Amino acid sequence: IPKFEIISSAGVIRLIYNYSLDSPFTEHSQITDLQQMDEIQPLKPALKKVPFRRHDFPNRKQWQELVKLALRDFRSGKLKKIVLARKSSFTAGHPLDPLAIFFQVRRQNPQAFAFFLQPEQGFAFLGVSPERLYYRQRGIIFSEAVASTRPRGKNPSEDNRLAQELLTNKKEISEHNWVVKDIERKLSSLCVA
């Protein structure tokens, strides 16, 4: 069985790596070499513009009501931290190429950590994050927590001032510590110290 296969079918190009389960996945140097995959230009499909419909859950008015409730609970001391997120569902007019979307998103966010999983045809989980969600090297798991942000300054001096503001603000420090503890709690059920 070849170690690598490149299969082209119906306009989709796939790179397949066949490996033995006799040794840990991370010990396969060929896989770690694929981190340079950006250099493989021919495998990057072009992303075409596709019309789509967008639906947000909850809708804007419902989300604004949730914000009001959260602010009330903060004032009363009932809440210390909350992330009010919304789900956006996009429906395209025809099937999308998840690999093309992945490469486009990655090109637009070169400093972010990108991930792509496609467990089966027709389903994909992909995205980019400013923080490393998960990295494993041998038996060690690495993760990062970024709980607060500031806009970039107009010059290096302003950048430094904003950075110091993040590092010394009690609210920001408390929020960051909460996120770190939450990650530790979640990983502790999967790891040993």
Side-chain angles (χ1 to χ4, degrees), residues 2-7 14-18 31 34:
K3 284 196 175 193
F4 288 98
E5 298 174 74
I6 297 178
I7 297 175
R14 288 189 178 75
L15 174 66
I16 298 171
Y17 175 60
N18 299 303
I31 287 297
L34 288 177

Side-chain angles (χ1 to χ4, degrees), residues 144-147 175-185:
E144 295 175 3
V146 179
E175 187 174 316
H176 178 76
N177 288 337
W178 188 92
V179 171
V180 169
K181 286 177 184 170
D182 188 55
I183 290 172
E184 286 176 349
R185 182 181 56 80

Side-chain angles (χ1 to χ4, degrees), residues 95-114:
L96 301 173
D97 180 351
L99 197 55
I101 294 169
F102 171 74
F103 281 121
Q104 180 69 27
V105 169
R106 205 166 156 206
R107 272 192 292 274
Q108 291 173 348
N109 301 277
Q111 302 302 317
F113 293 95

Side-chain angles (χ1 to χ4, degrees), residues 14-191:
R14 288 189 178 75
L15 174 66
I16 298 171
Y17 175 60
N18 299 303
Y19 67 97
S20 167
L21 292 174
D22 295 336
S23 60
F25 188 73
T26 54
E27 291 182 12
H28 292 264
S29 60
Q30 293 91 343
I31 287 297
T32 56
D33 291 345
L34 288 177
Q35 292 172 351
Q36 304 343 294
M37 198 165 168
D38 273 343
E39 298 169 13
I40 309 174
Q41 297 296 329
L43 292 179
K44 287 186 181 182
L47 187 62
K48 298 172 187 164
K49 290 193 177 191
V50 176
F52 62 85
R53 288 178 299 158
R54 176 181 176 160
H55 303 282
D56 294 316
F57 308 95
N59 65 37
R60 185 171 182 81
K61 186 176 179 183
Q62 293 166 328
W63 186 75
Q64 288 171 334
E65 288 302 315
L66 290 172
V67 170
K68 288 178 188 175
L69 290 172
L71 290 172
R72 185 194 69 202
D73 287 347
F74 271 112
R75 284 190 289 273
S76 71
K78 190 175 178 181
L79 283 177
K80 292 186 179 186
K81 174 161 174 61
I82 189 170
V83 177
L84 291 175
R86 293 169 61 188
K87 173 184 172 182
S88 294
S89 174
F90 299 89
T91 306
H94 58 78
L96 301 173
D97 180 351
L99 197 55
I101 294 169
F102 171 74
F103 281 121
Q104 180 69 27
V105 169
R106 205 166 156 206
R107 272 192 292 274
Q108 291 173 348
N109 301 277
Q111 302 302 317
F113 293 95
F115 55 90
F116 180 91
L117 299 167
Q118 190 170 18
E120 62 184 83
Q121 189 66 26
F123 296 93
F125 179 66
L126 62 99
V128 294
S129 171
E131 56 212 345
R132 183 189 307 267
L133 302 176
Y134 172 89
Y135 172 72
R136 184 172 66 92
Q137 186 174 32
R138 304 217 189 285
I140 301 172
I141 291 178
F142 299 88
S143 183
E144 295 175 3
V146 179
S148 300
T149 59
R150 288 290 187 278
R152 291 296 305 263
K154 294 176 183 165
N155 54 51
S157 174
E158 193 174 347
D159 277 346
N160 288 334
R161 182 186 60 76
L162 291 167
Q164 285 305 309
E165 194 178 287
L166 269 176
L167 294 171
T168 57
N169 183 287
K170 283 185 178 183
K171 175 197 169 290
E172 307 296 355
I173 293 169
S174 172
E175 187 174 316
H176 178 76
N177 288 337
W178 188 92
V179 171
V180 169
K181 286 177 184 170
D182 188 55
I183 290 172
E184 286 176 349
R185 182 181 56 80
K186 287 176 179 170
L187 289 179
S188 67
S189 66
L190 305 170
C191 305

